[in-house]
Amino acid sequence: MEVAEEAGAAVLAYALAAIADEGAGAGETAAALAALCDVLALSGPDLILAIPSARLAKRLPTLVAASAAGGGDGDVPLLAARAMAEACEGAPQWAARFAQHGAVEALRDRLLAVDCIELAEECLRALDTISTECPDECLKRGVAAAVLQFFDFFSTNKQKVALQIVSNILNDYDEEDAPTVMEAVPALCNLLQSSDKTILESSISCLALVAAGASENAEHMGKLCETNAVEATMSLMDNEGWKSLSDDTLTGILGLLKNLASISEKAVESLFKLDFCELFKQMITYYSSSNRDNDKVQMLVELIYQLMLPRGASKQHAKLVTAKKNVIVGQSTYMNQLASIFALMVQVAKCAALSSICYYCVAVISNVVEFSTPDFLMELQNTVNLSSFLTFLLARKNRHIIFQALKISRTLLEKCQQFFIETFTKEGVKYSIDSIVSHEKNSSHQSKRKNNMNESCLCFDLESSSTGEACRIENNAIMKLAEDIKKSFFSVKGSKRSPHRFGFALKSFRDFFVRLNVHATTPPTENPDSCKQLSDLSRRLLSDELPVTSTFEFVQSGSIKSLSIYLSNGAYDNTGISDAQDLLWHLSEVQSRLHKFASLALTVPNGSSANPLGILVEKLLDTLHMCYDSFPVMLSDEQSTRESMMIPLRYPETQEPTSLELKFRRSQREKELRTYNDVLSVDLFSTPDAIEPVLFPKICRRTDQEPAPKNSNQENEANGSTKLDDGNRSSKLRFLYNGVILQPSTTFFESILSLMNQGHSDLLIDPSFWDEEHYITYRKRNKSKEISSESSYNIQLSDVQENLQQAWLKDPFFTALLLGKLPGDLDGSDPSYNLLFMLKVLEGMNRFSYQLLMDEQIRKFAEGTLQDMDDLKVAIYPVPQHQFMSSILTNKLELQMQDSLFEDGLIPSWCIYLIETCPFLLSFDTRWKYFCLTAHRSFMTDQVNNSPDQVNNILDQASGHSDQVKSPPQTKKYRVSRSAILEGAVSMMTNHGPSSRIVEVEFKGEVGTGRGPTFEFYTTVSHELQRAGLGMWRGDNCEDGFIHASFRLFPKPWSSSGTRGVDFSNVLQNFKLLGHLVVRAVLDGRILDIPLSKAFYKIMLEQELDMYDIPSFDPELGKTLIEFQALVNKKKFLETSSTTSNHTAVLSYKNVKLEDLCLDFTLPGSPKYELIPGGSQRMVTLDSLEEYVYLVVDATLKSGIAKQIEAFKSGINEVFALKILKMFTEEEMERILCGEQDSWALKNIEDHMEFEHGYDMSSPSIVTFLEILREFGREEQRAFIQFTTGAPQLPLGGLALLDPKLTVVCKKCDGNVDDELPSVNTCRHFIKLPPYSSKEIMREKLKYAITEGLGSFHLS
């Protein structure tokens, strides 16, 4: 080693001496330079830095600049450049030394001379490091333009080096150097046509740096526009090209355009000419959907903001503002573009989950209003309802948003006072401004100051110069502006039309509910015209008045509370029943009122497309959105973008759950409890109710009368349940934070954070929050007698409901009506409470619309107003489920789920509450994502039972995964035989079904493994469970083949006599297997091909069934039972309304005496199933008809299938609690289990496929292939999907979300192409398609492959 070092030192000494000798020949110098390059390449930084620098740093640039003419050795400049590059790369400090002695000019000149491409590339290599260390020197010497001069001559790798040099030079340059920078711009713009993605992205990045550095210089930005930078970058985003750009590239483009638009009216004009609004609308809609990327939304809105600077801009921009305004206002097409972007800004602002995004949109809207003419503004009011939008903004707590809304209001009134005074009154803007003035006057200066200090300032977020300036909105600025508007515009005498119209709306709705209450207490026989009068009134109000009534008028009329009180029979207002004695009357009254209102709200008038219930729901949602601040998001400093999820997470994504440090201290007035001195580290799910069993034994003073609390499940409860407290357990302690009592079922984390940020809609968590000890005061709770009284009533109500026959009377929405309150301990004083209550009731009414309206038809038949039994039918017009969805709440939950701490418990209580109580307010995609992120906490195999000595260590057991690091889910493989697949499936699920790990299947004797065979397994087993003779399903009356259930599958009632040749234990085993298949399909993202009925999905979701569910799987039986029930009700009505019994004697079933039907007490379709002992010998009569209907319904839906359903549910509950699926509807569960029913969208199928290895979109074979796919029928589509994926249905999201994407490649054939068959790789979704000679041959071969090529996995 020492010998080698000595030899190296000797070579270095020789080389340095020869290079320093200016009289040496070119050959000797070249040899010395070559030797120096070899030494530098092998030396470390220390040795290179030890080389004497003075003479070498001066000599090498001279040699690079030396001419090779005159017979000299042309290798000298090349080797000198290489030596500089080696020295700079080995020790970057050399870069500055070379730069001091003219290296930059020498390397630049050599680049421009292009004597030798190898020399030019060595110059680039040296400049790469020098530009990093000395960017200013390189900039001043024009290196940026020089390295791009002969760009096309370089190899691709060297081209990337050249762009890196430009990027180094342009990063944060001074404005005085802008003229030199502009020399490189034309070449950079030309590179935007490059097909190389890296070069394209680097060019855009460089242009963005150019614009950022010259952003304050209009002249230079104008020159940048003249190079067509706007047109070039916009062309890259056309035709959804922006979707294929990387994040950095798109960010660079938007930053470039923003800087150009901020300083140049030419750029503004170019954007309008290119119809930028349409493109930006697409992008904003895409990125704002489900909060896919809030940063992109912000950038796009900022860019739009720069097109129209506000009136209050600085003096130097006054001329620019005028120039921009002249550009926009001067063209009507530009104003039309502005109108379309205006509407989008309103929509995004209303649905934004973050206050900052809302503020950016409102700032843009303010700018548009400033630019607009009065006529244009009045037209906007008619299209987007500006006044209603302003009322929405003024209801927010964020002072920046309120201030901007007030500015817009003042501008509108200044431009067209009379018009907007009227709409402001009708829509509630005037009322909101009055409320602001009143509230601000009543608020203390101290409280205002406190809130203002805590709220983050948004004033400068849209401007470049924002550092260090104080917030522009002073403490009293909002009140001053509101008072100014009130004094200037609303205190003057004006038209009285608005108050009159407003008062009329209030009176109309109040009168309607008075009439409704009177109608509820008046029997129809006493006033036969009352029904028609009320129907006419409801039609006028609900169908005619309600659509044109503003949300503000609707709210102020008291309609929401009046309707709640009416439907709950006064329970909502605590004016109903006072004890359990009136319970049955109360239940009957609520039932009656709901029936009557349903018949009004669910009836669509002739010739009208408006659904009264739909309009009512829309008004309620609009009002709910004004309660924006009731649903705060809690965000840490780390966000993670989560696209759509296919399967639930198995483990938390963090290595250790985040914890909170709580320091408990006794209240000063508390004398009975002991002091607790320790600090508890709790998880984010921990609530006061969960901590109490841990803390109470340590602080209570034992007495002879007070036994020690039992320890059962206390430790488990301490681990922070996500479930809201049901109020049944009596709490012994009260917990307080800063003097405020904490809700027992709200997590400590949320309570503390909310109180620290009181009054804010976005709760942003400072990193220091996790390091602090948070002081919690405890004291003993005073016992209350009211709780036991309410609890007693609830128990009696539950007992009564249990005995009711109709399913909707047991549904949570009806329970809420009976109690007049929502479940849980939601704050009844919150403005959102009555809205959530009414939406829950109306959603339940909508869901049970068929049952409610059929009940009414049966009542009419019983009372004689409906004569013909064949008229027992209803035309229902339910509101589509998606119309109950709240866009704001969905976006807020989506944003919350993007937080990196979401799996650790960073979940606001309102999210959990809505998921459990009002899931219909959230989109299916959002609920599915929530399920995927939280389901791992419900895995039965992952539950942790803590021992008593672990009680204090709550954090470690918080999730049951604390010892697991972040890793992908593990996979278990299982091998089954096709010939005994059911037995294999039972064995596999018994061994691996309860596991939370992903299970994959292989078939014995086949080489296929992975995704494809696993999907095939689930498909095959689900088919086998439909085989005739298993005794599982209704309609199983044959010995072989498969059941073809026209109305889908529902369990077959099982009697003690059983079915010939079928063992009931096998039936139960198969239902348990089905439960296992369902849960594995949900967890592992598998697809089942089994047509379960809607009624069976209801069972899966733990919903009650009744007679009205039978028609969904057996229409004939269901219709007959409903008709029998109508006959029973008519018999009862006649018996109670008449003194004689002659009326009942003439009752018949469709003119046939019931006895002549020869019905006995056996189950229809199953003569061996006796409904009662000896039932086959007992005939059904009019007197026993009610009992018969009850027994048939019970056998069909309850007792006859109870054991099968119990077995099915046990298969699910072995893995996770079945109740967590209750957030989904029946239709959604079918999508989750059986995939998308619409196989593909025929118009854009190619958008979701890839073509490789010999094929592209334009290949003739691909064009033919796509034509054939579009011609496929439903069954051919199913066969094709199964052929390519292993399952006949596509998973959630359809073809667009298939992962990996469906890919078609060219199949290489040795012989005649037309003799070959297509083949597939189902795991990778690869289709190997031969290039057939004709469409007919391709269709024939494809159909043969997809029908005959199933059933085995072999090498293709």
Side-chain angles (χ1 to χ4, degrees):
M1 189 70 178
E2 291 180 1
V3 174
E5 288 180 358
E6 290 177 2
V11 172
L12 180 60
Y14 149 73
L16 291 175
I19 293 169
D21 185 1
E22 296 182 6
E28 186 180 353
T29 303
L33 286 169
L36 177 62
C37 289
D38 291 339
V39 173
L40 291 174
L42 298 174
S43 301
D46 292 340
L47 180 58
I48 297 174
L49 287 173
I51 297 173
S53 63
R55 295 187 65 187
L56 187 63
K58 183 177 180 181
R59 182 66 173 152
L60 288 181
T62 304
L63 293 175
V64 168
S67 172
D73 194 334
D75 288 340
V76 170
L78 170 66
L79 293 170
R82 182 175 298 163
M84 276 200 287
E86 294 286 0
C88 291
E89 289 173 359
Q93 294 90 327
W94 270 91
R97 299 174 184 174
F98 287 132
Q100 289 174 1
H101 294 89
V104 175
E105 297 98 311
L107 293 168
R108 178 203 63 197
D109 292 342
R110 273 297 177 183
L111 273 174
L112 293 174
V114 199
D115 295 329
C116 166
I117 193 65
E118 188 178 2
L119 170 57
E121 290 184 345
E122 288 297 342
C123 291
L124 283 179
R125 186 180 163 200
L127 284 170
D128 189 14
T129 305
I130 295 175
S131 65
T132 303
E133 299 298 318
C134 310
D136 292 340
E137 180 69 16
C138 293
L139 176 58
K140 294 181 188 300
R141 303 300 177 189
V143 171
V147 298
L148 299 173
Q149 184 75 33
F150 299 101
F151 188 83
D152 293 338
F153 290 94
F154 299 134
S155 65
T156 302
N157 286 336
K158 293 304 179 183
Q159 287 177 343
K160 294 173 183 178
V161 172
L163 284 170
Q164 182 58 53
I165 293 170
V166 176
S167 179
N168 294 340
I169 294 171
L170 300 182
N171 191 24
D172 199 23
Y173 67 90
D174 293 331
E175 186 182 340
E176 63 187 33
D177 295 318
T180 308
V181 170
M182 290 299 159
E183 295 172 2
V185 169
L188 288 172
C189 287
N190 290 335
L191 294 180
L192 295 182
Q193 308 303 319
S194 174
S195 59
D196 187 283
K197 188 176 181 181
T198 304
I199 291 174
L200 176 65
E201 291 177 353
S202 298
S203 303
I204 291 170
S205 176
C206 291
L207 283 171
L209 291 172
V210 172
S215 59
E216 298 299 321
N217 191 307
E219 180 185 353
H220 293 134
M221 294 301 272
K223 289 181 179 178
L224 191 55
C225 289
E226 290 171 2
T227 61
N228 295 324
V230 174
E231 290 78 1
T233 50
M234 287 289 288
S235 67
L236 295 173
M237 298 191 290
D238 278 345
N239 301 317
E240 295 194 340
W242 50 273
K243 287 185 177 179
S244 61
L245 297 174
S246 69
D247 272 358
D248 288 342
T249 303
L250 187 55
T251 299
I253 289 176
L254 296 179
L256 170 64
L257 293 176
K258 174 190 168 184
N259 284 321
L260 287 171
S262 67
I263 199 72
S264 170
E265 68 272 19
K266 292 180 182 177
V268 172
E269 186 170 12
S270 296
L271 286 169
F272 274 102
K273 282 181 178 178
L274 295 168
D275 194 13
F276 83 98
C277 286
E278 191 58 37
L279 173 63
F280 283 19
K281 279 169 59 180
Q282 294 175 17
M283 296 173 71
I284 291 173
T285 302
Y286 176 81
Y287 287 121
S288 61
S289 173
S290 301
N291 288 275
R292 188 177 271 111
D293 194 332
N294 282 314
D295 290 339
K296 293 288 191 313
V297 174
Q298 178 178 334
M299 292 182 70
L300 287 161
V301 176
E302 286 177 353
L303 201 165
I304 297 170
Y305 176 86
Q306 294 298 334
L307 298 176
M308 308 156 288
L309 289 178
R311 186 168 55 186
S314 57
K315 291 182 180 180
Q316 58 265 36
H317 283 169
K319 186 177 179 181
L320 177 62
V321 171
T322 303
K324 287 184 178 182
K325 183 174 182 178
N326 292 336
V327 167
I328 298 171
V329 177
Q331 292 282 342
S332 59
T333 55
Y334 296 172
M335 291 300 293
N336 291 336
Q337 288 186 51
L338 217 54
S340 66
I341 208 78
F342 185 95
L344 180 64
M345 289 294 99
V346 170
Q347 180 185 343
V348 174
K350 291 179 73 172
C351 300
L354 278 175
S355 294
S356 56
I357 298 292
C358 178
Y359 173 77
Y360 302 147
C361 293
V362 175
V364 169
I365 290 167
S366 179
N367 289 357
V368 176
V369 170
E370 290 275 2
F371 269 52
S372 302
T373 63
D375 290 341
F376 184 76
L377 291 173
M378 287 189 284
E379 188 177 335
L380 280 178
Q381 167 65 25
N382 295 328
T383 55
V384 298
N385 198 338
L386 264 171
S387 303
S388 176
F389 174 61
L390 289 172
T391 303
F392 165 79
L393 296 178
L394 292 171
R396 301 283 293 271
K397 291 180 180 177
N398 187 285
R399 62 201 177 96
H400 291 82
I401 293 174
I402 293 173
F403 189 73
Q404 280 284 3
L406 289 172
K407 283 176 60 180
I408 295 171
S409 301
R410 183 175 63 183
T411 305
L412 291 173
L413 289 168
E414 288 172 348
K415 293 198 173 189
C416 28
Q417 178 176 343
Q418 187 57 45
F419 177 82
F420 279 105
I421 280 182
E422 184 168 341
T423 63
F424 278 12
T425 304
K426 175 182 170 64
E427 298 291 348
V429 178
K430 178 179 182 296
Y431 178 86
S432 299
I433 292 173
D434 288 340
S435 299
I436 288 172
V437 172
S438 175
H439 178 265
E440 293 285 330
K441 284 182 176 178
N442 294 332
S443 298
S444 67
H445 177 74
Q446 183 178 0
S447 64
K448 284 190 296 178
R449 183 173 180 81
K450 179 180 178 182
N451 283 346
N452 289 348
M453 287 175 65
N454 289 338
E455 184 177 273
S456 56
C457 179
L458 302 173
C459 291
F460 304 98
D461 284 5
L462 294 169
E463 300 174 21
S464 56
S465 56
S466 60
T467 56
E469 296 189 54
C471 182
R472 290 173 179 168
I473 305 175
E474 300 174 356
N475 286 338
N476 58 351
I478 289 176
M479 186 177 73
K480 282 183 178 179
L481 184 52
E483 284 183 329
D484 178 58
I485 295 172
K486 183 176 180 180
K487 180 180 178 181
S488 302
F489 301 102
F490 295 124
S491 298
V492 295
K493 293 181 179 180
S495 172
K496 294 185 178 180
R497 287 173 56 205
S498 300
H500 173 74
R501 174 64 185 83
F502 178 62
F504 175 76
L506 295 184
K507 186 177 184 304
S508 296
F509 280 99
R510 285 170 181 162
D511 180 55
F512 171 65
F513 285 106
V514 169
R515 297 282 293 275
L516 205 58
N517 276 289
V518 170
H519 178 71
T521 56
T522 305
T525 52
E526 292 184 14
N527 187 1
D529 294 331
S530 66
C531 289
K532 185 177 185 306
Q533 291 172 3
L534 183 64
S535 179
D536 292 342
L537 178 63
S538 72
R539 184 175 294 111
R540 180 166 59 82
L541 284 173
L542 296 179
S543 300
D544 300 333
E545 288 289 333
L546 190 57
V548 297
T549 299
S550 72
T551 302
F552 171 69
E553 289 173 319
F554 177 67
V555 173
Q556 288 300 112
S557 70
S559 300
I560 302 168
K561 187 173 183 180
S562 298
L563 183 57
S564 300
I565 293 171
Y566 163 73
L567 291 176
S568 66
N569 189 32
Y572 185 81
D573 199 33
N574 296 320
T575 58
I577 59 172
S578 56
D579 55 52
Q581 294 179 354
D582 298 326
L583 179 58
L584 291 177
W585 168 81
H586 176 60
L587 189 149
S588 175
E589 186 64 23
V590 172
Q591 186 177 351
S592 173
R593 292 179 178 220
L594 193 62
H595 273 129
K596 291 171 181 176
F597 185 74
S599 64
L600 298 175
L602 290 168
T603 303
V604 177
N606 292 333
S608 172
S609 60
N611 187 322
L613 181 60
I615 298 168
L616 190 56
V617 168
E618 182 183 349
K619 295 294 181 188
L620 288 168
L621 284 175
D622 284 345
T623 311
L624 181 66
H625 292 167
M626 295 179 72
C627 304
Y628 179 96
D629 296 302
S630 297
F631 308 95
V633 291
M634 304 186 302
L635 301 176
S636 67
D637 56 342
E638 292 185 18
Q639 300 289 294
S640 56
T641 302
R642 294 189 175 98
E643 294 295 336
S644 56
M645 303 188 68
M646 301 307 297
I647 63 172
L649 292 179
R650 270 21 182 212
Y651 312 108
E653 292 195 355
T654 48
Q655 294 188 8
E656 290 186 5
T658 305
S659 63
L660 196 65
E661 303 294 315
L662 299 184
K663 175 72 174 177
F664 290 92
R665 57 187 181 186
R666 187 181 64 178
S667 172
Q668 292 182 352
R669 296 183 178 181
E670 176 59 56
K671 304 301 180 186
E672 297 182 35
L673 301 175
R674 292 202 298 259
T675 301
Y676 184 79
N677 295 318
D678 293 335
V679 175
L680 275 181
S681 291
V682 301
D683 63 32
L684 303 188
F685 284 101
S686 296
T687 64
D689 273 347
I691 290 294
E692 183 179 305
V694 177
L695 187 64
F696 189 76
K698 300 178 181 300
I699 60 175
C700 71
R701 301 180 187 274
R702 295 267 184 259
T703 64
D704 295 336
Q705 291 77 25
E706 186 180 35
K710 294 182 180 179
N711 228 6
S712 63
N713 283 339
Q714 288 180 356
E715 295 83 8
N716 287 340
E717 291 176 8
N719 286 328
S721 171
T722 61
K723 182 182 177 183
L724 292 175
D725 183 69
D726 57 10
N728 292 331
R729 189 167 65 81
S730 178
S731 300
K732 300 181 180 69
L733 299 176
R734 283 283 193 202
F735 294 93
L736 300 89
Y737 178 79
N738 286 345
V740 178
I741 296 175
L742 304 183
Q743 285 284 349
S745 60
T746 303
T747 62
F748 282 107
F749 165 68
E750 180 177 359
S751 295
I752 293 170
L753 190 64
S754 299
L755 291 170
M756 289 176 68
N757 296 270
Q758 202 162 13
H760 300 159
S761 53
D762 304 331
L763 308 184
L764 306 178
I765 306 170
D766 190 273
S768 63
F769 177 84
W770 308 111
D771 301 325
E772 297 177 15
E773 289 183 359
H774 303 280
Y775 289 88
I776 303 294
T777 304
Y778 60 85
R779 70 179 187 218
K780 206 159 187 178
R781 180 180 180 179
N782 296 326
K783 296 181 179 179
S784 172
K785 296 181 180 179
E786 297 178 6
I787 298 177
S788 59
S789 173
E790 182 181 339
S791 178
S792 173
Y793 174 73
N794 290 348
I795 292 171
Q796 292 188 47
L797 175 60
S798 179
D799 291 340
V800 169
Q801 283 184 288
E802 187 65 30
N803 296 320
L804 297 173
Q805 298 304 309
Q806 291 163 292
W808 66 271
L809 296 175
K810 303 178 184 180
D811 194 82
F813 96 91
F814 189 72
T815 305
L817 258 186
L818 289 174
L819 295 174
K821 56 178 281 189
L822 288 166
D825 56 1
L826 202 64
D827 182 8
S829 64
D830 191 276
S832 66
Y833 185 90
N834 59 341
L835 300 165
L836 292 175
F837 176 84
M838 185 46 55
L839 283 166
K840 183 170 181 65
V841 170
L842 295 183
E843 190 275 336
M845 188 178 78
N846 185 67
R847 199 161 19 96
F848 288 100
S849 56
Y850 172 76
Q851 291 88 329
L852 288 165
L853 294 181
M854 185 57 79
D855 276 352
E856 275 296 282
Q857 289 295 89
I858 291 175
R859 180 188 63 78
K860 290 178 182 178
F861 177 80
E863 295 174 358
T865 55
L866 189 68
Q867 298 294 331
D868 195 341
M869 190 173 283
D870 288 332
D871 291 334
L872 281 174
K873 57 184 84 169
V874 292
I876 59 171
Y877 303 95
V879 176
Q881 195 69 21
H882 68 84
Q883 289 189 19
F884 283 91
M885 189 199 80
S886 163
S887 55
I888 285 184
L889 294 180
T890 295
N891 286 342
K892 277 177 169 269
L893 180 52
E894 283 282 352
L895 178 64
Q896 190 67 59
M897 288 190 294
Q898 288 177 12
D899 197 280
S900 58
L901 297 182
F902 185 81
E903 294 96 88
D904 282 355
L906 190 56
I907 310 176
S909 57
W910 65 262
C911 300
I912 301 168
Y913 188 85
L914 292 184
I915 285 288
E916 294 182 350
T917 308
C918 304
F920 54 85
L921 289 172
L922 306 165
S923 73
F924 166 68
D925 290 340
T926 298
R927 282 179 281 120
W928 174 247
K929 188 182 293 186
Y930 180 94
F931 173 81
C932 288
L933 291 171
T934 58
H936 65 270
R937 292 187 171 275
S938 300
F939 290 168
M940 296 303 179
T941 53
D942 295 330
Q943 299 301 311
V944 177
N945 295 318
N946 302 330
S947 57
D949 59 349
Q950 292 174 311
V951 169
N952 285 332
N953 194 9
I954 297 169
L955 170 62
D956 291 343
Q957 283 78 29
S959 65
H961 302 293
S962 58
D963 58 334
Q964 295 168 338
V965 297
K966 181 177 178 179
S967 61
Q970 294 178 315
T971 300
K972 284 189 175 183
K973 292 186 180 293
Y974 197 84
R975 183 167 293 181
V976 298
S977 170
R978 285 187 184 272
S979 59
I981 197 164
L982 269 187
E983 293 82 354
V986 170
S987 174
M988 184 189 88
M989 292 301 175
T990 301
N991 293 323
H992 300 312
S995 172
S996 63
R997 295 164 67 182
I998 291 177
V999 180
E1000 287 190 349
V1001 178
E1002 299 175 3
F1003 289 105
K1004 292 180 180 177
E1006 300 177 20
V1007 295
T1009 182
R1011 180 187 178 93
T1014 304
F1015 270 69
E1016 171 79 5
F1017 166 79
Y1018 281 90
T1019 299
T1020 305
V1021 174
S1022 57
H1023 288 170
E1024 287 297 314
L1025 289 176
Q1026 300 169 59
R1027 190 175 288 279
L1030 294 179
M1032 293 180 67
W1033 310 109
R1034 298 176 68 87
D1036 185 359
N1037 299 319
C1038 53
E1039 296 296 329
D1040 55 5
F1042 292 91
I1043 299 172
H1044 299 286
S1046 302
F1047 300 98
R1048 301 179 157 249
L1049 300 173
F1050 191 80
K1052 178 180 181 178
W1054 190 273
S1055 66
S1056 56
S1057 59
T1059 301
R1060 184 188 305 175
V1062 178
D1063 187 343
F1064 188 50
S1065 63
N1066 289 336
V1067 174
L1068 297 182
Q1069 177 180 273
N1070 286 335
F1071 269 104
K1072 184 171 183 177
L1073 172 62
L1074 179 59
H1076 277 139
L1077 287 173
V1078 164
V1079 78
R1080 296 264 36 119
V1082 172
L1083 289 183
D1084 298 348
R1086 311 308 185 196
I1087 301 296
L1088 302 182
D1089 189 28
I1090 184 166
L1092 300 173
S1093 63
K1094 181 178 179 180
F1096 191 81
Y1097 281 114
K1098 281 187 172 183
I1099 291 173
M1100 195 184 302
L1101 299 173
E1102 298 195 314
Q1103 297 178 19
E1104 292 283 343
L1105 299 182
D1106 63 14
M1107 175 177 65
Y1108 295 125
D1109 289 296
I1110 297 177
S1112 67
F1113 57 83
D1114 193 335
E1116 185 177 345
L1117 175 62
K1119 180 175 182 291
T1120 302
L1121 289 173
I1122 290 172
E1123 291 171 343
F1124 282 172
Q1125 186 62 49
L1127 201 59
V1128 169
N1129 286 18
K1130 185 159 191 169
K1131 175 177 177 290
K1132 288 182 176 181
F1133 178 80
L1134 292 174
E1135 288 173 344
T1136 56
S1137 61
S1138 175
T1139 56
T1140 65
S1141 60
N1142 294 334
H1143 295 86
T1144 60
V1146 297
L1147 283 177
S1148 63
Y1149 176 74
K1150 298 183 178 180
N1151 298 322
V1152 177
K1153 285 187 177 182
L1154 203 65
E1155 291 78 3
D1156 294 342
L1157 295 176
C1158 300
L1159 295 174
D1160 57 25
F1161 274 78
T1162 60
L1163 188 65
S1166 302
K1168 293 186 178 181
Y1169 191 121
E1170 293 189 329
L1171 299 172
I1172 56 174
S1176 59
Q1177 305 302 314
R1178 181 185 173 189
M1179 304 307 292
V1180 178
T1181 65
L1182 188 61
D1183 290 331
S1184 62
L1185 182 60
E1186 182 176 10
E1187 180 187 9
Y1188 174 77
V1189 170
Y1190 170 80
L1191 291 172
V1192 171
V1193 172
D1194 179 71
T1196 304
L1197 302 177
K1198 296 178 182 178
S1199 60
I1201 63 172
K1203 291 184 178 178
Q1204 298 95 301
I1205 297 304
E1206 182 182 351
F1208 170 75
K1209 288 183 175 181
S1210 71
I1212 295 178
N1213 284 324
E1214 284 183 4
V1215 184
F1216 60 62
L1218 184 65
K1219 63 185 179 183
I1220 69 172
L1221 295 175
K1222 293 172 74 172
M1223 69 178 76
F1224 303 113
T1225 66
E1226 306 92 274
E1227 294 79 11
E1228 290 165 352
M1229 277 307 304
E1230 183 171 27
R1231 284 182 63 194
I1232 293 169
L1233 294 178
C1234 301
E1236 301 290 3
Q1237 297 302 306
D1238 296 328
S1239 295
W1240 53 58
L1242 297 179
K1243 292 181 180 179
N1244 61 349
I1245 181 174
E1246 63 274 10
D1247 292 345
H1248 309 303
M1249 300 174 69
E1250 293 181 350
F1251 309 99
E1252 298 177 356
H1253 302 301
Y1255 284 147
D1256 58 33
M1257 186 83 75
S1258 60
S1259 299
S1261 293
I1262 294 301
V1263 173
T1264 302
F1265 174 69
L1266 293 173
E1267 288 177 359
I1268 293 171
L1269 290 188
R1270 291 190 179 96
E1271 294 166 1
F1272 274 175
R1274 173 64 180 155
E1275 289 305 313
E1276 290 171 324
Q1277 287 183 3
R1278 282 171 52 86
F1280 174 78
I1281 294 170
Q1282 182 162 1
F1283 178 64
T1284 52
T1285 68
Q1289 301 280 100
L1290 289 167
L1292 282 177
L1295 202 59
L1297 295 183
L1298 190 64
D1299 185 29
K1301 278 193 171 186
L1302 204 60
T1303 303
V1304 186
V1305 300
C1306 185
K1307 185 174 184 178
K1308 303 301 180 185
C1309 307
D1310 295 332
N1312 187 354
V1313 170
D1314 291 343
D1315 292 337
E1316 296 285 339
L1317 284 171
S1319 57
V1320 294
N1321 179 327
T1322 55
C1323 297
R1324 303 298 304 163
H1325 302 153
F1326 255 58
I1327 305 171
K1328 302 171 185 177
L1329 182 70
Y1332 294 110
S1333 60
S1334 70
K1335 180 178 180 179
E1336 289 71 23
I1337 293 175
M1338 183 182 288
R1339 181 190 289 111
E1340 176 190 344
K1341 296 294 183 182
L1342 198 56
K1343 284 189 175 181
Y1344 182 85
I1346 65 178
T1347 52
E1348 303 297 330
L1350 302 177
S1352 64
F1353 285 87
H1354 299 287
L1355 290 175
S1356 60

